[in-house]
Amino acid sequence: MSSSIALHDKTLSELAQGLSVGEYTSRELTEAFLARIERLDGELNSYITVCREEALRDADAADARRAAGKAAPLTGVPMAIKDIFCTEGVRTSCGSKMLDNFISPYDATVIEKLRAEGVVMLGKTNLDEFAMGSSNENSYYGAVKNPWDLTAVPGGSSGGSAAAVAAGLAPAALGTDTGGSIRQPAAFCGITGLKPTYGRVSRYGMIAYASSLDQGGPMARSAEDCARLMNVIAGADPRDSTSVVRSVPNYIEGLNYNLKGLKIGLPKEYFGEGLSAEVESSVRAAIKVFEDAGASVQEISLPHTHLAIPTYYVIAPAEASSNLSRYDGVRFGHRCADPKDLEDLYKRTREEGFGDEVKRRILIGTHTLSEGFFDAYYIKAQKVRRLIRQDFLDAFDQVDVLMGPAAPTPAFDLGAHKDPLSMYLQDLYTIAINLAGIPGISVPAGLAGRRPVGLQILGPHFGEQTLLGVAHQFQQLTDWHRQRPEFGQEHA
Amino acid sequence: MQWEVVIGLEVHAQLATQSKIFSGSSTTYGAEPNTQASAVDLGLPGTLPVLNEQAVAMAVRFGLAVNAAVAGHSVFERKNYFYPDLPKGYQTSQMSQPIVGPGVLEILLEDGTRKSIRIHHAHLEEDAGKSLHEDFQGMTGIDLNRAGTPLLEIVSEPDLRSAKEAVAYVKAIHAIVTYLGISDGNMAEGSLRCDVNISMRPKGQEAYGTRAEIKNVNSFRFIERAIHFEVERQIDLIEDGGRVVQETRLYDPEADETRSMRSKEEANDYRYFPCPDLLPVEVDEAYIEHLRGTLPEMPAEKRARFESELGLSAYDASVLSGTREMADFFEEVKGVCGDAKQAANWVQGELSGRLNKENLDISVSPVSAAQLGGLVKRIVDETINGKAAKQVFAALWDGEGTSADEVIESRGLKQVTDSGAIEAVVDQVIADNPAQVTQYQEAEVDKRGKMIGFFVGQVMKASRGTANPQQVNKVLKDKLDSLS
């Protein structure tokens, strides 16, 4: 790779290569990113916690490991972690006042795996509180700005991760996706983000929002980078009963995918009302790239698409209302001052500790699970969920992958969606994927003015290798993923 | 008005697994507060449960022991409510699809009658921690060592009609879980505790009255007393024109009364829903059959065998089969001594008496079954008499000897049956007590029987208890009568 590219603009794969040939040390690399974070993140607000000391210590350890000839493929590469993954000895806030003082005593399974690989953690990135949001405006630590356009949101809930990678404040990051929280911010920030199949990546130590939908995954500058990270983080975990015992392929080997004969389905429901013209034209142009490379395209119907948002907003809040019950001020996290009795402790702790959107979803979930409403909401939603899943299974009987927009518009302006319902509708193209449990990837596919557009590619359960291969081939034919925002470049 | 009490019981048996139901923490009782609480037990953010398969096997074995339908597919659900010692804000339990379906349990009442009590279902769940209200000056301490301990909740149908039946039922459950080895059944430590649902109805009426639930009663005696109190309370209430409210009550053993904890109006809506962190529990036929093969002889079978094969009375058979420890102990004693009736007498008599006096469980008896068997064996083969046997027992209890034979030998307690030796002692006693001999001779014949006791005592004393009492009696009588 050309060394004329600034360090912060390189891909994870390039940095790993540079480390392996001794072009720079992990310490140099880590210091470069830390310096950049210090210079630029005041404006972006993509990090909640920067782990300077830990990162330099781990970088030195990585350099020593490399010197001892024991380096793994990603040893010494720095990256950012969404602040929803528990990290031992480091604050894990989940973007909430409730956990502002929470220092996790343990590492999430994926963090353990990254540490074992020798990856250096630069810091914990900003997110919508408890991953509830599509704009990163619901964070106790303030909104994150989109490096492509500082008046736009970075998307959410993994907005900090997406913005940091896009701005060159980290070469890659870990995100989580419950209804689009990796793919939509990846699209808004012009990076590549993969939501793996539910059960492919351990959820242990990933703070739960909606347990049956949550899935961690990589956010990076290319499909190849995502594949390298998947090689480290994927796999069954005895501590997560919902992780799936199934062999993990070498995702790098799958990158050499032959597009010729690839059968692409275009869900007609993803090209209907609400889709902005600029997004549609970028997405259609991207699909043309595949056609030119020998893929075939056909229209597909996912007839229950219109039910995805209402179904999601029954199931996710129901699970969240229960998952968030543990934040009661008794054992960890925020506790109100001078509670006069137990009820006062509960009420004020939760009143003070949670933000509005979290409270809204707890209320919705508590209501839908309550006696007399449970069957009408929760049970019904589970039935519809099965129908939505079946839509995808049927589609993958006919085609290899589905393609469409990751979001109906490019990144919207900060403050654009004050009404929660209009915000919820932004997730129209991503939410059904979590309900079905299938994998999805968003890759940069164009620019609408200064704001990136993402192409979403969906595959059948455990089809990550195909998705990464297809995305990688697209990135061999296009350079959208090589585009960088102007933000921060003058400092390079 | 004649009233009938209707009782249903929910028995919580703590399962004897090494680790907790959803974490690897130890379940040992009595450790320092919060030393057996892991990140999972504390409900730390991000933690997830992993089901302990041992708990599942135990629940299935219980189901098989009460002839219940074991569910091939059961589901863990979350029961949501806030309480300081409930770390996650929900208890992981089973409600709509429990692992053990309907079954039946036969209970034996004191008068010897038998009654079948239907079991509605049994389900697995996790225990909560403990709130400690003392020692914290107006604050409450939380100990989460118990949080996540596996419980099997066994729910009966409302088939019980008296406090005695309720106690007999809990004893039967206790016997089953201890026989299976799935719970230590220790009520004082809370390993077995129950919620008692009680309602009253006029005798002959079919419809049930409104019930009150007495929570967490943890001894057989308290169960009986709580029911007695509650029955009277409800009858008085109804007869005074009031009505029973559906509520949760607490039994206070100090005051011997039940008190209201909360009424249905303030009761929680638990918002049960399937736990998304746990997969449904799938148990296949082969596994069930495998577990069926591991079932020991159950209390009812043992009781029947003790009666029919060993010729024990119904009462003896039921007491000796009452707990697995008792039954195992008895069978070992019987095996060593070869005489079921003598073994039964000694286990229930001398041994149980002493254990009760010292407030000890048979599992920690200072006299082992092998030792007691060795002792009874020497009674059966007439090596020692009953009196010497009590000395040997006392010596073994006090640890003064490792076996009955050793004590018999060292103390020279071997019974003397040599008639020549006995005659010599008798002659000596007669010679040493001329005044008593004269009294005896002058007494009416029908009063002599009592008077002979003095001479027997002297002979036994002179022989240090080793003479065969029947022989002594006969020789004395012959000699004294022939003197007159």
Side-chain angles (χ1 to χ4, degrees), chain B residues 219-250:
Chain B
S219 88
F220 295 126
R221 199 159 54 98
F222 293 165
I223 292 169
E224 190 161 357
R225 282 165 52 179
I227 293 173
H228 283 313
F229 176 88
E230 187 60 19
V231 165
E232 293 213 6
R233 185 188 73 87
Q234 292 192 12
I235 291 177
D236 287 352
L237 195 64
I238 301 167
E239 290 188 341
D240 288 350
R243 60 182 190 87
V244 176
V245 232
Q246 187 172 336
E247 62 180 354
T248 304
R249 299 179 71 83
L250 185 76

Side-chain angles (χ1 to χ4, degrees), chain A residues 86 105-106 203-205 207 211 238-242 322-323 325-327 331-332 342 346 366 369-371 374 378, chain B residues 40 42-50 78 80 82-84 87-90 144 269 271-274 276-277 279:
Chain A
C86 285
Y106 76 102
R203 290 190 297 118
Y204 188 81
I207 297 180
S211 313
R239 290 178 295 190
D240 174 3
S241 313
T242 63
S322 176
N323 284 335
S325 292
R326 67 189 63 197
Y327 307 108
R331 295 165 313 285
F332 47 75
L342 184 60
Y346 287 153
T366 303
L369 288 178
S370 61
E371 209 174 332
F374 180 70
Y378 188 83
Chain B
V40 174
L42 289 165
L44 287 188
T47 57
L48 296 171
V50 176
R78 292 184 183 177
N80 295 283
F82 285 97
Y83 204 71
K88 301 185 295 297
Y90 56 82
L144 295 174
D269 173 356
R271 292 170 282 123
Y272 278 97
F273 76 107
D277 290 330
L279 303 176

Side-chain angles (χ1 to χ4, degrees), chain A residues 42-341:
Chain A
E43 189 147 25
L44 279 190
N45 197 30
S46 65
Y47 283 85
I48 290 173
T49 304
V50 178
C51 305
R52 165 172 283 279
E53 280 174 34
E54 295 90 342
L56 292 174
R57 182 197 63 205
D58 292 349
D60 288 342
D63 287 332
R65 178 171 165 183
R66 185 171 298 283
K70 291 179 179 158
L74 297 184
T75 298
V77 170
M79 72 180 285
I81 305 293
K82 185 179 183 180
D83 200 16
I84 197 169
F85 289 94
C86 285
T87 44
E88 187 178 342
V90 173
R91 174 173 63 181
T92 300
S93 75
C94 223
S96 181
K97 180 181 178 183
M98 189 61 93
L99 291 178
D100 184 48
N101 63 2
F102 178 65
I103 307 226
S104 174
Y106 76 102
D107 274 336
T109 295
V110 289
I111 300 298
E112 274 184 1
K113 289 183 167 193
L114 289 169
R115 284 197 204 281
E117 178 79 8
V119 170
V120 174
M121 182 174 83
L122 293 168
K124 308 291 293 287
T125 50
N126 209 335
L127 70 158
D128 284 300
E129 184 179 5
F130 285 100
M132 298 180 191
S134 310
S135 69
N136 213 125
E137 292 167 297
N138 298 333
S139 170
Y140 172 64
Y141 300 92
V144 177
K145 288 178 186 163
N146 190 320
W148 290 86
D149 181 341
L150 298 177
T151 64
V153 301
S157 65
S158 311
S161 289
V165 174
L169 305 188
L174 221 47
T176 63
D177 190 318
T178 306
S181 286
I182 285 176
R183 293 158 288 154
Q184 182 252 27
F188 281 11
C189 291
I191 65 168
T192 305
L194 172 71
K195 182 211 94 83
T197 307
Y198 182 79
R200 179 80 289 186
V201 173
S202 169
R203 290 190 297 118
Y204 188 81
M206 197 178 103
I207 297 180
Y209 156 27
S211 313
S212 74
L213 302 161
D214 295 342
Q215 184 64 206
M219 302 174 78
R221 298 228 167 100
S222 68
E224 183 185 351
D225 287 3
C226 288
R228 289 190 194 283
L229 285 167
M230 281 298 283
N231 274 354
V232 178
I233 65 172
D237 179 4
R239 290 178 295 190
D240 174 3
S241 313
T242 63
S243 68
V244 177
V245 179
R246 185 184 168 111
S247 65
V248 180
N250 184 335
Y251 294 105
I252 294 295
E253 286 171 8
L255 295 178
N256 190 21
Y257 192 93
N258 188 352
L259 293 179
K260 209 169 180 68
L262 174 72
K263 282 191 265 183
I264 300 170
L266 305 184
K268 64 176 184 196
E269 292 80 3
Y270 286 24
F271 292 88
E273 200 188 333
L275 178 61
S276 75
E278 46 201 344
V279 170
E280 180 167 4
S281 66
S282 288
V283 167
R284 291 211 185 270
I287 289 160
K288 180 78 171 31
V289 173
F290 287 102
E291 279 187 293
D292 292 347
S296 66
V297 172
Q298 68 186 91
E299 190 179 87
I300 284 283
S301 178
L302 301 169
H304 298 94
T305 297
H306 64 290
L307 296 174
I309 287 177
T311 301
Y312 176 89
Y313 279 100
V314 171
I315 292 170
E319 292 179 3
S321 72
S322 176
N323 284 335
L324 272 61
S325 292
R326 67 189 63 197
Y327 307 108
D328 57 6
V330 174
R331 295 165 313 285
F332 47 75
H334 178 69
R335 179 190 283 192
C336 70
D338 303 317
K340 66 174 192 286
D341 56 26

Side-chain angles (χ1 to χ4, degrees), chain B residues 6-31:
Chain B
V6 173
I7 303 168
L9 290 172
E10 293 162 22
V11 177
H12 297 81
Q14 202 177 88
L15 296 177
T17 52
Q18 299 296 303
S19 57
K20 294 184 176 181
I21 186 166
F22 299 123
S23 83
S25 309
S26 164
T27 52
T28 313
Y29 179 82

